[in-house]
Amino acid sequence: MDESEDVPKDFIKLKSEKLSVDEVSELVISPNCGAVSLFIGTTRNNFEGKKVIHLEYEAYTSMAEMEIKKICRDVRQKWPSVKHIAMHHRLGVVPITEASVIIAVSSPHRTESLEAVTYCINTLKAFVPIWKKLLFILTPSRGQTERVLSSLLGGKVRFCVGLWKSLESALHWTALQFARDL
Amino acid sequence: MDESEDVPKDFIKLKSEKLSVDEVSELVISPNCGAVSLFIGTTRNNFEGKKVIHLEYEAYTSMAEMEIKKICRDVRQKWPSVKHIAMHHRLGVVPITEASVIIAVSSPHRTESLEAVTYCINTLKAFVPIWKKLLFILTPSRGQTERVLSSLLGGKVRFCVGLWKSLESALHWTALQFARDL
């Protein structure tokens, strides 16, 4: 690589295809840098104690890209030795264990890239308009089930212990929740 | 993946083959974790202001592995929610821009993995017995060249400006240096 071509660059992408750690890290590698720090956000199988079965990301795309560009500008002010910054975010369905976001930052020495990548992910979570839509499996309690059935049937429903025991293991509710991705 | 099998694991490797970011990050991914933080140390084309043309890593292997295991134990005490830790170090020649070390840490939430990966690389650099052997290109000054030639030839050598100008661009010295990899 011609060193004069190795000017600092920002690589920003919102896309629905699977993200690649190798691809994002390759973008920021520079012959002048000894450090690349990365953060990968992956889909967990649980959220606030509930079992997640499906997760989708939605974004206000143009605004999200503008906010991510602002984060890159902030990084360059705070850590002037940072070389390249790459921030890729996946939209749509992201299966459990797959990456929803990958951020990579290169710098000559390690402290700057480690601090900058932490700043990038914290600021992205706080300010970039990307939300997640989660589908949970919930296991309802006896009282919850009685209340829902009572309101559906328009009269009081109470389970005796024996009936509840045989129903309990078969009952699952699914619940949809929108959340800011903090 | 069966969740009961997803017990915390440490993956430690010192090897002479090229390191893979994808491979190391895949090792630590867990369905219970939303965060993977990585650090990649790459070979720079310069060291202390000098142009590096060749870099080799050497280790006291058994001691290095013991020290890396100790770092993993420390991480698990400091950040008990950390799930998997992978630390791969390359030995032998590492060409410019290729990775000499890749560290990956997963945790349910991001703060722990970000802090732990910083701790891992700082502690590895400070305490693990791995050294680098660097071969530099130096561009000597007129005075340096005159002194070396004088001592080689056993008599005073002085260049006139015209001769020095035509020699200068063609002269390169190489220098070998061992350094702790801080």
Side-chain angles (χ1 to χ4, degrees), chain A residues 141-147 149-150 153 156-168 171:
Chain A
S141 70
R142 180 176 170 183
Q144 286 170 323
T145 312
E146 286 173 343
R147 278 194 296 281
L149 284 180
S150 298
L153 301 173
K156 274 208 169 180
V157 173
R158 289 283 173 274
F159 296 115
C160 64
V161 177
L163 179 58
W164 174 246
K165 282 285 165 218
S166 61
L167 269 178
E168 193 179 14
L171 271 181

Side-chain angles (χ1 to χ4, degrees), chain B residues 29-46:
Chain B
I29 280 176
S30 156
N32 301 300
C33 289
V36 173
S37 296
L38 283 121
F39 178 81
I40 310 169
T42 52
T43 299
R44 272 186 301 149
N45 62 7
N46 63 86

Side-chain angles (χ1 to χ4, degrees), chain A residues 31 36 38 40 42 45 110 122, chain B residues 31 33 36 38 40 45 110 122:
Chain A
V36 173
L38 283 122
I40 310 169
T42 52
N45 61 9
R110 66 183 176 279
N122 287 340
Chain B
C33 289
V36 173
L38 283 121
I40 310 169
N45 62 7
R110 66 183 176 278
N122 287 341

Side-chain angles (χ1 to χ4, degrees), chain B residues 32-124:
Chain B
N32 301 300
C33 289
V36 173
S37 296
L38 283 121
F39 178 81
I40 310 169
T42 52
T43 299
R44 272 186 301 149
N45 62 7
N46 63 86
F47 181 74
E48 295 173 351
K50 300 179 293 259
K51 190 174 170 67
V52 173
I53 50 170
H54 182 91
L55 190 142
E56 269 182 75
Y57 281 90
E58 293 188 0
Y60 177 5
T61 310
S62 59
M63 181 70 107
E65 283 173 349
M66 256 177 50
E67 289 291 332
I68 295 175
K69 279 180 195 158
K70 189 178 170 310
I71 296 173
C72 295
R73 285 199 302 275
D74 291 348
V75 165
R76 299 195 178 286
Q77 260 198 330
K78 288 174 189 286
W79 297 277
S81 72
V82 157
K83 180 67 85 174
H84 304 307
I85 306 169
M87 297 175 80
H88 283 196
H89 206 298
R90 187 166 171 187
L91 300 178
V93 175
V94 182
I96 309 290
T97 75
E98 290 190 12
S100 54
V101 60
I102 304 181
I103 300 172
V105 178
S106 58
S107 57
H109 302 283
R110 66 183 176 278
T111 307
E112 294 76 8
S113 73
L114 285 162
E115 289 180 358
V117 89
T118 303
Y119 176 84
C120 285
I121 185 63
N122 287 341
T123 315
L124 183 143

